[in-house]
Amino acid sequence: MIISDKLNSLLTRVNSVCVLTGAGISAESGVETFRGARGLWSKFKPQELADFDAFIRNPELVWEWYNYRKKIIRDVKPNAGHMALAKMEKLVKDFSLVTQNIDNLHFRAGNKKVLELHGNIERSYCIDCGKFADNLGITPEGKMPKCPLCNGFVRPDVVWFGEMLPTDVFEEAVETARRCELFLVVGTSAVVYPAAGLPITAKAQGAYTVEVNTEPTEISHIVNETLKGKAGDILPGLVALLEETRRKNER
Ligand code: BV8
Ligand code: ZN
């Protein structure tokens, strides 16, 4: 893996790192991305599914889609890219992991703190009384879950298009983008806002911004450095460099 001298030297001494991940970091685990050739969206249109009105119009279809994704997620494991970020959290003093993913794989990889901008597919809540229901799914007969308390509609605890991101989570993500020295943006097409604005915020304050992706994206022309390749190959390489230099410093 070829990285610039600038990134190499930064990795030897960096104390504050923020990482933003998208669906691409879970691709090697076998979770389809949204906009890839076989992407989830190619089967469905986002506005038909990841949208509150679509849910009210056709809750069963939306639940079918989330259950389909839950089954995929249950059958997969975190990959080397996820594991590398769990290691990075231990090595870097001020480390923040911000994800657009709802697949819970960063927690399963061992990261203690994950800022989930778009929620988490394993959580659901009642839109009438707001009660969180642990992990509901559609019943075997294909009926959508109803609130055990008030029999209201239960929805996945994810952020749909047109919905606000959880304010405290997003504000903290902006804070970390504003103070980090190194911002890694991994496996995202960077088309969905406000998440895609975070690398721009980081760059504006002088952070060194590095993109890890198999393809060019909407922010490739903005970042300081693009490492073209799979997250599962590149991230372990960056962590190995971090580890080596910290070991040397300890001697
Ligand atoms: C809001 C949760 C405001 C549900 C998701 C015009 C301009 C700017 C913004 C807008 C606009 N029109 C509308 C908006 C707002 C809208 C938006 O950004 N739309 C876009 C499409 C234009 N945003 C919103 O609605 C947000 N809310 O703005 O509210 C507001 C203000 C006031 C009051 C009320 C509201 C809410 C957005 C959240 C939507 N929810 N998901 C679910 O998951 O089911 S978005 C969905 O897309 C996922 O979260 C996903 O994470 C996200 C982004 O996709 P990616 O993660 O990037 O995945 P993708 O497939 O696109 O790309 C994968 C990448 O990985 C590729 O680049 C590929 O090359 C790479 N890759 C593949 N394999 C690998 C790899 N890289 C490395 N290694 C590999 N092995
Ligand atoms: Zn209820």
Side-chain angles (χ1 to χ4, degrees), residues 126 128-130 147 149-152:
C126 171
D128 293 332
C129 71
C147 173
L149 255 190
C150 73
N151 202 33

Side-chain angles (χ1 to χ4, degrees), residues 22-24 27-28 33-36 41 50 65-66 69 100-102 118 158-165 187-194 212-215 217 229-231:
E28 291 156 80
T33 62
F34 290 89
R35 295 165 185 86
W41 301 103
W65 184 47
Y66 281 97
R69 293 168 68 188
Q100 301 169 87
N101 301 341
I102 62 170
H118 296 160
V158 297
V159 178
W160 282 328
F161 285 103
E163 293 186 326
M164 292 289 280
L165 276 57
T188 181
S189 55
V191 296
V192 174
Y193 280 79
V212 176
N213 203 307
T214 45
E215 309 285 332
T217 71
K230 292 182 170 180

